[in-house]
Amino acid sequence: TQLLEQSPQFLSIQEGENLTVYCNSSSVFSSLQWYRQEPGEGPVLLVTVVTGGEVKKLKRLTFQFGDARKDSSLHITAAQPGDTGLYLCAGAYDYKLSFGAGTTVTVRA
Amino acid sequence: GAGVSQSPSNKVTEKGKDVELRCDPISGHTALYWYRQRLGQGLEFLIYFQGNSAPDKSGLPSDRFSAERTGESVSTLTIQRTQQEDSAVYLCASSLAVGPYNEQFFGPGTRLTVL
């Protein structure tokens, strides 16, 4: 089993603040994906990172894949209440995804 | 409405009963996955279907769990003799391609409660 650990488990911040979520593993993945899940819905893909050291930006979200392709981070700048949700990282190997337990982010207005 | 759909959205059953959960994938998606998500936890892989290949059942937690898929369309997940620990959200996902950019599209899930 290839395990992904996410930290922190919960994060509550004020609107306008920045936040970072971490995803770590001892395993190497062919790619790493970040999903966001809202209550009562399935996860929705935010980004896929493939190359070690890769950085991708999606508006106020910045995703980084570690050089060794074992870890990743998600940074949100100037968080807004609409960023509230469960953020899940998932490491891909072959056709499977191994998911972390998720980080619940709450952005207070 | 081209997304993945699942039914029922909620299911409450008594311990020992059988339940059947349904997933309609996105048309044309050859790959289909079932996951289980317990409260406060990540997604746990259950089973994978790809076209006409033999399914990967390595994630099924016990022989009470089984799943079928008709061609490249509907899939059903059956849990026999349900136990309280089976209570969870069961998510289905489908994807078009396999590879590092494999994007899985998820349905809204079925929330199963076993009393």
Side-chain angles (χ1 to χ4, degrees):
Chain A
T1 303
Q2 298 175 290
L3 299 176
L4 280 163
E5 294 187 359
Q6 285 188 241
S7 61
Q9 186 178 358
F10 299 97
L11 197 53
S12 180
I13 61 171
Q14 199 70 32
E15 181 177 4
E17 294 181 340
N18 301 333
L19 69 95
T20 302
V21 177
Y22 299 93
C23 177
N24 296 292
S25 175
S26 58
S27 301
V28 176
F29 296 101
S30 58
S31 67
L32 197 135
Q33 300 180 346
W34 284 92
Y35 289 80
R36 189 173 89 182
Q37 184 178 21
E38 299 192 20
E41 299 181 9
V44 175
L45 181 67
L46 296 174
V47 78
T48 300
V49 285
V50 177
T51 307
E54 182 176 4
V55 177
K56 280 192 174 178
K57 293 190 176 183
L58 186 67
K59 295 183 180 178
R60 294 175 294 99
L61 279 60
T62 301
F63 304 86
Q64 186 163 5
F65 201 13
D67 291 341
R69 306 205 327 270
K70 295 181 179 181
D71 52 81
S72 181
S73 64
L74 157 61
H75 182 78
I76 301 179
T77 303
Q80 299 176 0
D83 295 326
T84 292
L86 176 67
Y87 289 82
L88 295 158
C89 66
Y93 56 104
D94 200 2
Y95 51 78
K96 290 183 180 178
L97 290 178
S98 177
F99 282 84
T103 295
T104 300
V105 172
T106 304
V107 183
R108 304 184 305 274
Chain B
V4 177
S5 60
Q6 293 187 244
S7 61
S9 55
N10 283 283
K11 176 71 177 179
V12 180
T13 190
E14 294 180 347
K15 177 182 174 181
K17 301 280 189 178
D18 297 352
V19 296
E20 189 172 278
L21 313 180
R22 176 188 170 107
C23 171
D24 283 89
I26 294 172
S27 178
H29 281 194
T30 58
L32 186 146
Y33 304 77
W34 282 98
Y35 294 91
R36 179 169 67 181
Q37 186 175 29
R38 290 195 165 115
L39 188 64
Q41 297 186 21
L43 278 66
E44 175 188 4
F45 167 79
L46 296 177
I47 190 168
Y48 163 77
F49 295 93
Q50 172 62 44
N52 294 317
S53 301
D56 178 351
K57 305 180 181 180
S58 61
L60 295 178
S62 77
D63 58 9
R64 296 187 295 105
F65 288 71
S66 63
E68 293 183 351
R69 187 180 186 193
T70 306
E72 294 184 354
S73 60
V74 171
S75 176
T76 56
L77 176 68
T78 302
I79 308 173
Q80 296 178 309
R81 304 181 302 282
T82 52
Q83 303 294 313
Q84 289 183 334
E85 61 262 28
D86 299 334
S87 295
V89 175
Y90 289 82
L91 290 159
C92 173
S94 69
S95 66
L96 183 60
V98 177
Y101 288 100
N102 170 18
E103 176 178 1
Q104 296 186 22
F105 294 82
F106 285 84
T110 294
R111 181 174 297 278
L112 175 66
T113 302
V114 182
L115 302 176

mmCIF file with all atom_site columns, all heavy atoms in Angstrom, chain A residues 33-56:
data_model
loop_
_atom_site.group_PDB
_atom_site.id
_atom_site.type_symbol
_atom_site.label_atom_id
_atom_site.label_alt_id
_atom_site.label_comp_id
_atom_site.label_asym_id
_atom_site.label_entity_id
_atom_site.label_seq_id
_atom_site.pdbx_PDB_ins_code
_atom_site.Cartn_x
_atom_site.Cartn_y
_atom_site.Cartn_z
_atom_site.occupancy
_atom_site.B_iso_or_equiv
_atom_site.pdbx_formal_charge
_atom_site.auth_seq_id
_atom_site.auth_comp_id
_atom_site.auth_asym_id
_atom_site.auth_atom_id
_atom_site.pdbx_PDB_model_num
ATOM 1   N N   . GLN A 1 33 ? -2.138  14.302 -8.036  1.00 0.00 ? 33 GLN A N   1
ATOM 2   C CA  . GLN A 1 33 ? -3.313  15.115 -8.323  1.00 0.00 ? 33 GLN A CA  1
ATOM 3   C C   . GLN A 1 33 ? -3.846  15.729 -7.032  1.00 0.00 ? 33 GLN A C   1
ATOM 4   O O   . GLN A 1 33 ? -3.731  15.149 -5.959  1.00 0.00 ? 33 GLN A O   1
ATOM 5   C CB  . GLN A 1 33 ? -4.397  14.260 -8.985  1.00 0.00 ? 33 GLN A CB  1
ATOM 6   C CG  . GLN A 1 33 ? -3.951  13.623 -10.295 1.00 0.00 ? 33 GLN A CG  1
ATOM 7   C CD  . GLN A 1 33 ? -5.031  12.779 -10.941 1.00 0.00 ? 33 GLN A CD  1
ATOM 8   O OE1 . GLN A 1 33 ? -6.029  12.438 -10.333 1.00 0.00 ? 33 GLN A OE1 1
ATOM 9   N NE2 . GLN A 1 33 ? -4.820  12.436 -12.209 1.00 0.00 ? 33 GLN A NE2 1
ATOM 10  N N   . TRP A 1 34 ? -4.435  16.893 -7.180  1.00 0.00 ? 34 TRP A N   1
ATOM 11  C CA  . TRP A 1 34 ? -5.139  17.541 -6.082  1.00 0.00 ? 34 TRP A CA  1
ATOM 12  C C   . TRP A 1 34 ? -6.610  17.673 -6.467  1.00 0.00 ? 34 TRP A C   1
ATOM 13  O O   . TRP A 1 34 ? -6.940  18.123 -7.571  1.00 0.00 ? 34 TRP A O   1
ATOM 14  C CB  . TRP A 1 34 ? -4.558  18.924 -5.794  1.00 0.00 ? 34 TRP A CB  1
ATOM 15  C CG  . TRP A 1 34 ? -3.246  18.904 -5.067  1.00 0.00 ? 34 TRP A CG  1
ATOM 16  C CD1 . TRP A 1 34 ? -1.998  18.915 -5.606  1.00 0.00 ? 34 TRP A CD1 1
ATOM 17  C CD2 . TRP A 1 34 ? -3.071  18.886 -3.650  1.00 0.00 ? 34 TRP A CD2 1
ATOM 18  N NE1 . TRP A 1 34 ? -1.052  18.891 -4.624  1.00 0.00 ? 34 TRP A NE1 1
ATOM 19  C CE2 . TRP A 1 34 ? -1.675  18.875 -3.411  1.00 0.00 ? 34 TRP A CE2 1
ATOM 20  C CE3 . TRP A 1 34 ? -3.941  18.871 -2.551  1.00 0.00 ? 34 TRP A CE3 1
ATOM 21  C CZ2 . TRP A 1 34 ? -1.136  18.862 -2.116  1.00 0.00 ? 34 TRP A CZ2 1
ATOM 22  C CZ3 . TRP A 1 34 ? -3.403  18.859 -1.271  1.00 0.00 ? 34 TRP A CZ3 1
ATOM 23  C CH2 . TRP A 1 34 ? -2.018  18.845 -1.065  1.00 0.00 ? 34 TRP A CH2 1
ATOM 24  N N   . TYR A 1 35 ? -7.456  17.274 -5.541  1.00 0.00 ? 35 TYR A N   1
ATOM 25  C CA  . TYR A 1 35 ? -8.895  17.366 -5.721  1.00 0.00 ? 35 TYR A CA  1
ATOM 26  C C   . TYR A 1 35 ? -9.479  18.230 -4.600  1.00 0.00 ? 35 TYR A C   1
ATOM 27  O O   . TYR A 1 35 ? -8.934  18.294 -3.503  1.00 0.00 ? 35 TYR A O   1
ATOM 28  C CB  . TYR A 1 35 ? -9.556  15.981 -5.643  1.00 0.00 ? 35 TYR A CB  1
ATOM 29  C CG  . TYR A 1 35 ? -9.295  15.071 -6.816  1.00 0.00 ? 35 TYR A CG  1
ATOM 30  C CD1 . TYR A 1 35 ? -8.114  14.362 -6.926  1.00 0.00 ? 35 TYR A CD1 1
ATOM 31  C CD2 . TYR A 1 35 ? -10.262 14.888 -7.808  1.00 0.00 ? 35 TYR A CD2 1
ATOM 32  C CE1 . TYR A 1 35 ? -7.878  13.506 -7.989  1.00 0.00 ? 35 TYR A CE1 1
ATOM 33  C CE2 . TYR A 1 35 ? -10.052 14.029 -8.879  1.00 0.00 ? 35 TYR A CE2 1
ATOM 34  C CZ  . TYR A 1 35 ? -8.851  13.343 -8.960  1.00 0.00 ? 35 TYR A CZ  1
ATOM 35  O OH  . TYR A 1 35 ? -8.627  12.494 -10.020 1.00 0.00 ? 35 TYR A OH  1
ATOM 36  N N   . ARG A 1 36 ? -10.632 18.829 -4.884  1.00 0.00 ? 36 ARG A N   1
ATOM 37  C CA  . ARG A 1 36 ? -11.400 19.496 -3.843  1.00 0.00 ? 36 ARG A CA  1
ATOM 38  C C   . ARG A 1 36 ? -12.786 18.859 -3.789  1.00 0.00 ? 36 ARG A C   1
ATOM 39  O O   . ARG A 1 36 ? -13.408 18.626 -4.838  1.00 0.00 ? 36 ARG A O   1
ATOM 40  C CB  . ARG A 1 36 ? -11.542 20.990 -4.103  1.00 0.00 ? 36 ARG A CB  1
ATOM 41  C CG  . ARG A 1 36 ? -12.148 21.721 -2.908  1.00 0.00 ? 36 ARG A CG  1
ATOM 42  C CD  . ARG A 1 36 ? -12.135 23.204 -3.116  1.00 0.00 ? 36 ARG A CD  1
ATOM 43  N NE  . ARG A 1 36 ? -13.339 23.645 -3.788  1.00 0.00 ? 36 ARG A NE  1
ATOM 44  C CZ  . ARG A 1 36 ? -13.576 24.892 -4.132  1.00 0.00 ? 36 ARG A CZ  1
ATOM 45  N NH1 . ARG A 1 36 ? -12.673 25.811 -3.901  1.00 0.00 ? 36 ARG A NH1 1
ATOM 46  N NH2 . ARG A 1 36 ? -14.694 25.211 -4.721  1.00 0.00 ? 36 ARG A NH2 1
ATOM 47  N N   . GLN A 1 37 ? -13.242 18.610 -2.566  1.00 0.00 ? 37 GLN A N   1
ATOM 48  C CA  . GLN A 1 37 ? -14.537 17.966 -2.372  1.00 0.00 ? 37 GLN A CA  1
ATOM 49  C C   . GLN A 1 37 ? -15.397 18.827 -1.457  1.00 0.00 ? 37 GLN A C   1
ATOM 50  O O   . GLN A 1 37 ? -14.951 19.233 -0.386  1.00 0.00 ? 37 GLN A O   1
ATOM 51  C CB  . GLN A 1 37 ? -14.359 16.566 -1.767  1.00 0.00 ? 37 GLN A CB  1
ATOM 52  C CG  . GLN A 1 37 ? -15.650 15.781 -1.627  1.00 0.00 ? 37 GLN A CG  1
ATOM 53  C CD  . GLN A 1 37 ? -15.414 14.389 -1.066  1.00 0.00 ? 37 GLN A CD  1
ATOM 54  O OE1 . GLN A 1 37 ? -14.390 14.133 -0.431  1.00 0.00 ? 37 GLN A OE1 1
ATOM 55  N NE2 . GLN A 1 37 ? -16.349 13.468 -1.294  1.00 0.00 ? 37 GLN A NE2 1
ATOM 56  N N   . GLU A 1 38 ? -16.624 19.085 -1.893  1.00 0.00 ? 38 GLU A N   1
ATOM 57  C CA  . GLU A 1 38 ? -17.570 19.836 -1.077  1.00 0.00 ? 38 GLU A CA  1
ATOM 58  C C   . GLU A 1 38 ? -18.598 18.855 -0.532  1.00 0.00 ? 38 GLU A C   1
ATOM 59  O O   . GLU A 1 38 ? -18.808 17.775 -1.091  1.00 0.00 ? 38 GLU A O   1
ATOM 60  C CB  . GLU A 1 38 ? -18.198 20.946 -1.910  1.00 0.00 ? 38 GLU A CB  1
ATOM 61  C CG  . GLU A 1 38 ? -17.149 21.929 -2.416  1.00 0.00 ? 38 GLU A CG  1
ATOM 62  C CD  . GLU A 1 38 ? -17.752 23.182 -3.000  1.00 0.00 ? 38 GLU A CD  1
ATOM 63  O OE1 . GLU A 1 38 ? -18.916 23.486 -2.700  1.00 0.00 ? 38 GLU A OE1 1
ATOM 64  O OE2 . GLU A 1 38 ? -17.045 23.854 -3.771  1.00 0.00 ? 38 GLU A OE2 1
ATOM 65  N N   . PRO A 1 39 ? -19.254 19.217 0.573   1.00 0.00 ? 39 PRO A N   1
ATOM 66  C CA  . PRO A 1 39 ? -20.194 18.289 1.228   1.00 0.00 ? 39 PRO A CA  1
ATOM 67  C C   . PRO A 1 39 ? -21.264 17.783 0.271   1.00 0.00 ? 39 PRO A C   1
ATOM 68  O O   . PRO A 1 39 ? -21.856 18.554 -0.483  1.00 0.00 ? 39 PRO A O   1
ATOM 69  C CB  . PRO A 1 39 ? -20.806 19.161 2.336   1.00 0.00 ? 39 PRO A CB  1
ATOM 70  C CG  . PRO A 1 39 ? -19.753 20.160 2.650   1.00 0.00 ? 39 PRO A CG  1
ATOM 71  C CD  . PRO A 1 39 ? -19.091 20.466 1.337   1.00 0.00 ? 39 PRO A CD  1
ATOM 72  N N   . GLY A 1 40 ? -21.480 16.474 0.277   1.00 0.00 ? 40 GLY A N   1
ATOM 73  C CA  . GLY A 1 40 ? -22.520 15.871 -0.552  1.00 0.00 ? 40 GLY A CA  1
ATOM 74  C C   . GLY A 1 40 ? -22.146 15.711 -2.011  1.00 0.00 ? 40 GLY A C   1
ATOM 75  O O   . GLY A 1 40 ? -22.990 15.319 -2.827  1.00 0.00 ? 40 GLY A O   1
ATOM 76  N N   . GLU A 1 41 ? -20.904 16.000 -2.326  1.00 0.00 ? 41 GLU A N   1
ATOM 77  C CA  . GLU A 1 41 ? -20.467 15.880 -3.720  1.00 0.00 ? 41 GLU A CA  1
ATOM 78  C C   . GLU A 1 41 ? -19.205 15.026 -3.804  1.00 0.00 ? 41 GLU A C   1
ATOM 79  O O   . GLU A 1 41 ? -18.526 14.785 -2.812  1.00 0.00 ? 41 GLU A O   1
ATOM 80  C CB  . GLU A 1 41 ? -20.197 17.256 -4.314  1.00 0.00 ? 41 GLU A CB  1
ATOM 81  C CG  . GLU A 1 41 ? -21.434 18.151 -4.338  1.00 0.00 ? 41 GLU A CG  1
ATOM 82  C CD  . GLU A 1 41 ? -21.143 19.511 -4.953  1.00 0.00 ? 41 GLU A CD  1
ATOM 83  O OE1 . GLU A 1 41 ? -20.049 19.699 -5.510  1.00 0.00 ? 41 GLU A OE1 1
ATOM 84  O OE2 . GLU A 1 41 ? -22.026 20.381 -4.852  1.00 0.00 ? 41 GLU A OE2 1
ATOM 85  N N   . GLY A 1 42 ? -18.907 14.573 -5.032  1.00 0.00 ? 42 GLY A N   1
ATOM 86  C CA  . GLY A 1 42 ? -17.669 13.863 -5.239  1.00 0.00 ? 42 GLY A CA  1
ATOM 87  C C   . GLY A 1 42 ? -16.508 14.830 -5.419  1.00 0.00 ? 42 GLY A C   1
ATOM 88  O O   . GLY A 1 42 ? -16.708 16.013 -5.679  1.00 0.00 ? 42 GLY A O   1
ATOM 89  N N   . PRO A 1 43 ? -15.282 14.338 -5.281  1.00 0.00 ? 43 PRO A N   1
ATOM 90  C CA  . PRO A 1 43 ? -14.113 15.197 -5.490  1.00 0.00 ? 43 PRO A CA  1
ATOM 91  C C   . PRO A 1 43 ? -14.037 15.692 -6.933  1.00 0.00 ? 43 PRO A C   1
ATOM 92  O O   . PRO A 1 43 ? -14.440 14.997 -7.860  1.00 0.00 ? 43 PRO A O   1
ATOM 93  C CB  . PRO A 1 43 ? -12.933 14.270 -5.175  1.00 0.00 ? 43 PRO A CB  1
ATOM 94  C CG  . PRO A 1 43 ? -13.505 13.155 -4.380  1.00 0.00 ? 43 PRO A CG  1
ATOM 95  C CD  . PRO A 1 43 ? -14.896 12.979 -4.871  1.00 0.00 ? 43 PRO A CD  1
ATOM 96  N N   . VAL A 1 44 ? -13.492 16.903 -7.085  1.00 0.00 ? 44 VAL A N   1
ATOM 97  C CA  . VAL A 1 44 ? -13.307 17.500 -8.408  1.00 0.00 ? 44 VAL A CA  1
ATOM 98  C C   . VAL A 1 44 ? -11.825 17.810 -8.590  1.00 0.00 ? 44 VAL A C   1
ATOM 99  O O   . VAL A 1 44 ? -11.205 18.424 -7.712  1.00 0.00 ? 44 VAL A O   1
ATOM 100 C CB  . VAL A 1 44 ? -14.140 18.787 -8.568  1.00 0.00 ? 44 VAL A CB  1
ATOM 101 C CG1 . VAL A 1 44 ? -13.838 19.458 -9.908  1.00 0.00 ? 44 VAL A CG1 1
ATOM 102 C CG2 . VAL A 1 44 ? -15.626 18.479 -8.453  1.00 0.00 ? 44 VAL A CG2 1
ATOM 103 N N   . LEU A 1 45 ? -11.275 17.379 -9.720  1.00 0.00 ? 45 LEU A N   1
ATOM 104 C CA  . LEU A 1 45 ? -9.851  17.569 -9.964  1.00 0.00 ? 45 LEU A CA  1
ATOM 105 C C   . LEU A 1 45 ? -9.498  19.049 -10.108 1.00 0.00 ? 45 LEU A C   1
ATOM 106 O O   . LEU A 1 45 ? -10.152 19.799 -10.839 1.00 0.00 ? 45 LEU A O   1
ATOM 107 C CB  . LEU A 1 45 ? -9.435  16.830 -11.236 1.00 0.00 ? 45 LEU A CB  1
ATOM 108 C CG  . LEU A 1 45 ? -7.955  16.924 -11.605 1.00 0.00 ? 45 LEU A CG  1
ATOM 109 C CD1 . LEU A 1 45 ? -7.099  16.182 -10.577 1.00 0.00 ? 45 LEU A CD1 1
ATOM 110 C CD2 . LEU A 1 45 ? -7.709  16.367 -13.004 1.00 0.00 ? 45 LEU A CD2 1
ATOM 111 N N   . LEU A 1 46 ? -8.440  19.466 -9.393  1.00 0.00 ? 46 LEU A N   1
ATOM 112 C CA  . LEU A 1 46 ? -7.925  20.828 -9.517  1.00 0.00 ? 46 LEU A CA  1
ATOM 113 C C   . LEU A 1 46 ? -6.718  20.873 -10.451 1.00 0.00 ? 46 LEU A C   1
ATOM 114 O O   . LEU A 1 46 ? -6.635  21.742 -11.321 1.00 0.00 ? 46 LEU A O   1
ATOM 115 C CB  . LEU A 1 46 ? -7.503  21.371 -8.140  1.00 0.00 ? 46 LEU A CB  1
ATOM 116 C CG  . LEU A 1 46 ? -8.614  21.534 -7.105  1.00 0.00 ? 46 LEU A CG  1
ATOM 117 C CD1 . LEU A 1 46 ? -8.007  21.938 -5.760  1.00 0.00 ? 46 LEU A CD1 1
ATOM 118 C CD2 . LEU A 1 46 ? -9.622  22.571 -7.560  1.00 0.00 ? 46 LEU A CD2 1
ATOM 119 N N   . VAL A 1 47 ? -5.793  19.932 -10.251 1.00 0.00 ? 47 VAL A N   1
ATOM 120 C CA  . VAL A 1 47 ? -4.553  19.973 -11.031 1.00 0.00 ? 47 VAL A CA  1
ATOM 121 C C   . VAL A 1 47 ? -3.878  18.616 -10.995 1.00 0.00 ? 47 VAL A C   1
ATOM 122 O O   . VAL A 1 47 ? -4.082  17.832 -10.075 1.00 0.00 ? 47 VAL A O   1
ATOM 123 C CB  . VAL A 1 47 ? -3.600  21.055 -10.458 1.00 0.00 ? 47 VAL A CB  1
ATOM 124 C CG1 . VAL A 1 47 ? -2.898  20.530 -9.202  1.00 0.00 ? 47 VAL A CG1 1
ATOM 125 C CG2 . VAL A 1 47 ? -2.587  21.508 -11.482 1.00 0.00 ? 47 VAL A CG2 1
ATOM 126 N N   . THR A 1 48 ? -3.070  18.352 -12.019 1.00 0.00 ? 48 THR A N   1
ATOM 127 C CA  . THR A 1 48 ? -2.191  17.193 -12.057 1.00 0.00 ? 48 THR A CA  1
ATOM 128 C C   . THR A 1 48 ? -0.761  17.683 -12.254 1.00 0.00 ? 48 THR A C   1
ATOM 129 O O   . THR A 1 48 ? -0.504  18.497 -13.158 1.00 0.00 ? 48 THR A O   1
ATOM 130 C CB  . THR A 1 48 ? -2.553  16.246 -13.217 1.00 0.00 ? 48 THR A CB  1
ATOM 131 O OG1 . THR A 1 48 ? -3.899  15.792 -13.053 1.00 0.00 ? 48 THR A OG1 1
ATOM 132 C CG2 . THR A 1 48 ? -1.619  15.044 -13.244 1.00 0.00 ? 48 THR A CG2 1
ATOM 133 N N   . VAL A 1 49 ? 0.161   17.217 -11.423 1.00 0.00 ? 49 VAL A N   1
ATOM 134 C CA  . VAL A 1 49 ? 1.574   17.531 -11.603 1.00 0.00 ? 49 VAL A CA  1
ATOM 135 C C   . VAL A 1 49 ? 2.311   16.240 -11.895 1.00 0.00 ? 49 VAL A C   1
ATOM 136 O O   . VAL A 1 49 ? 2.030   15.201 -11.292 1.00 0.00 ? 49 VAL A O   1
ATOM 137 C CB  . VAL A 1 49 ? 2.176   18.259 -10.381 1.00 0.00 ? 49 VAL A CB  1
ATOM 138 C CG1 . VAL A 1 49 ? 1.721   19.705 -10.362 1.00 0.00 ? 49 VAL A CG1 1
ATOM 139 C CG2 . VAL A 1 49 ? 1.804   17.579 -9.071  1.00 0.00 ? 49 VAL A CG2 1
ATOM 140 N N   . VAL A 1 50 ? 3.236   16.302 -12.845 1.00 0.00 ? 50 VAL A N   1
ATOM 141 C CA  . VAL A 1 50 ? 3.884   15.086 -13.348 1.00 0.00 ? 50 VAL A CA  1
ATOM 142 C C   . VAL A 1 50 ? 5.402   15.110 -13.165 1.00 0.00 ? 50 VAL A C   1
ATOM 143 O O   . VAL A 1 50 ? 6.011   14.105 -12.819 1.00 0.00 ? 50 VAL A O   1
ATOM 144 C CB  . VAL A 1 50 ? 3.543   14.888 -14.840 1.00 0.00 ? 50 VAL A CB  1
ATOM 145 C CG1 . VAL A 1 50 ? 4.262   13.672 -15.408 1.00 0.00 ? 50 VAL A CG1 1
ATOM 146 C CG2 . VAL A 1 50 ? 2.044   14.744 -15.032 1.00 0.00 ? 50 VAL A CG2 1
ATOM 147 N N   . THR A 1 51 ? 6.015   16.262 -13.393 1.00 0.00 ? 51 THR A N   1
ATOM 148 C CA  . THR A 1 51 ? 7.477   16.357 -13.402 1.00 0.00 ? 51 THR A CA  1
ATOM 149 C C   . THR A 1 51 ? 7.992   16.793 -12.037 1.00 0.00 ? 51 THR A C   1
ATOM 150 O O   . THR A 1 51 ? 7.446   17.729 -11.426 1.00 0.00 ? 51 THR A O   1
ATOM 151 C CB  . THR A 1 51 ? 7.924   17.372 -14.458 1.00 0.00 ? 51 THR A CB  1
ATOM 152 O OG1 . THR A 1 51 ? 7.332   17.026 -15.722 1.00 0.00 ? 51 THR A OG1 1
ATOM 153 C CG2 . THR A 1 51 ? 9.429   17.379 -14.589 1.00 0.00 ? 51 THR A CG2 1
ATOM 154 N N   . GLY A 1 52 ? 9.048   16.125 -11.555 1.00 0.00 ? 52 GLY A N   1
ATOM 155 C CA  . GLY A 1 52 ? 9.662   16.526 -10.295 1.00 0.00 ? 52 GLY A CA  1
ATOM 156 C C   . GLY A 1 52 ? 10.060  17.989 -10.322 1.00 0.00 ? 52 GLY A C   1
ATOM 157 O O   . GLY A 1 52 ? 10.669  18.440 -11.289 1.00 0.00 ? 52 GLY A O   1
ATOM 158 N N   . GLY A 1 53 ? 9.697   18.728 -9.268  1.00 0.00 ? 53 GLY A N   1
ATOM 159 C CA  . GLY A 1 53 ? 10.014  20.140 -9.206  1.00 0.00 ? 53 GLY A CA  1
ATOM 160 C C   . GLY A 1 53 ? 8.999   21.033 -9.909  1.00 0.00 ? 53 GLY A C   1
ATOM 161 O O   . GLY A 1 53 ? 9.126   22.267 -9.862  1.00 0.00 ? 53 GLY A O   1
ATOM 162 N N   . GLU A 1 54 ? 8.015   20.435 -10.523 1.00 0.00 ? 54 GLU A N   1
ATOM 163 C CA  . GLU A 1 54 ? 7.025   21.215 -11.286 1.00 0.00 ? 54 GLU A CA  1
ATOM 164 C C   . GLU A 1 54 ? 6.199   22.113 -10.371 1.00 0.00 ? 54 GLU A C   1
ATOM 165 O O   . GLU A 1 54 ? 5.829   21.731 -9.268  1.00 0.00 ? 54 GLU A O   1
ATOM 166 C CB  . GLU A 1 54 ? 6.105   20.248 -12.029 1.00 0.00 ? 54 GLU A CB  1
ATOM 167 C CG  . GLU A 1 54 ? 5.041   20.907 -12.909 1.00 0.00 ? 54 GLU A CG  1
ATOM 168 C CD  . GLU A 1 54 ? 4.221   19.893 -13.697 1.00 0.00 ? 54 GLU A CD  1
ATOM 169 O OE1 . GLU A 1 54 ? 4.424   18.670 -13.517 1.00 0.00 ? 54 GLU A OE1 1
ATOM 170 O OE2 . GLU A 1 54 ? 3.363   20.322 -14.482 1.00 0.00 ? 54 GLU A OE2 1
ATOM 171 N N   . VAL A 1 55 ? 5.928   23.311 -10.864 1.00 0.00 ? 55 VAL A N   1
ATOM 172 C CA  . VAL A 1 55 ? 5.058   24.258 -10.172 1.00 0.00 ? 55 VAL A CA  1
ATOM 173 C C   . VAL A 1 55 ? 3.943   24.656 -11.130 1.00 0.00 ? 55 VAL A C   1
ATOM 174 O O   . VAL A 1 55 ? 4.216   25.034 -12.270 1.00 0.00 ? 55 VAL A O   1
ATOM 175 C CB  . VAL A 1 55 ? 5.828   25.505 -9.707  1.00 0.00 ? 55 VAL A CB  1
ATOM 176 C CG1 . VAL A 1 55 ? 4.854   26.508 -9.056  1.00 0.00 ? 55 VAL A CG1 1
ATOM 177 C CG2 . VAL A 1 55 ? 6.927   25.129 -8.731  1.00 0.00 ? 55 VAL A CG2 1
ATOM 178 N N   . LYS A 1 56 ? 2.711   24.544 -10.667 1.00 0.00 ? 56 LYS A N   1
ATOM 179 C CA  . LYS A 1 56 ? 1.573   24.971 -11.486 1.00 0.00 ? 56 LYS A CA  1
ATOM 180 C C   . LYS A 1 56 ? 0.751   25.978 -10.700 1.00 0.00 ? 56 LYS A C   1
ATOM 181 O O   . LYS A 1 56 ? 0.546   25.814 -9.492  1.00 0.00 ? 56 LYS A O   1
ATOM 182 C CB  . LYS A 1 56 ? 0.691   23.777 -11.876 1.00 0.00 ? 56 LYS A CB  1
ATOM 183 C CG  . LYS A 1 56 ? 1.222   22.974 -13.041 1.00 0.00 ? 56 LYS A CG  1
ATOM 184 C CD  . LYS A 1 56 ? 0.169   22.004 -13.554 1.00 0.00 ? 56 LYS A CD  1
ATOM 185 C CE  . LYS A 1 56 ? 0.652   21.302 -14.801 1.00 0.00 ? 56 LYS A CE  1
ATOM 186 N NZ  . LYS A 1 56 ? -0.315  20.317 -15.322 1.00 0.00 ? 56 LYS A NZ  1
#
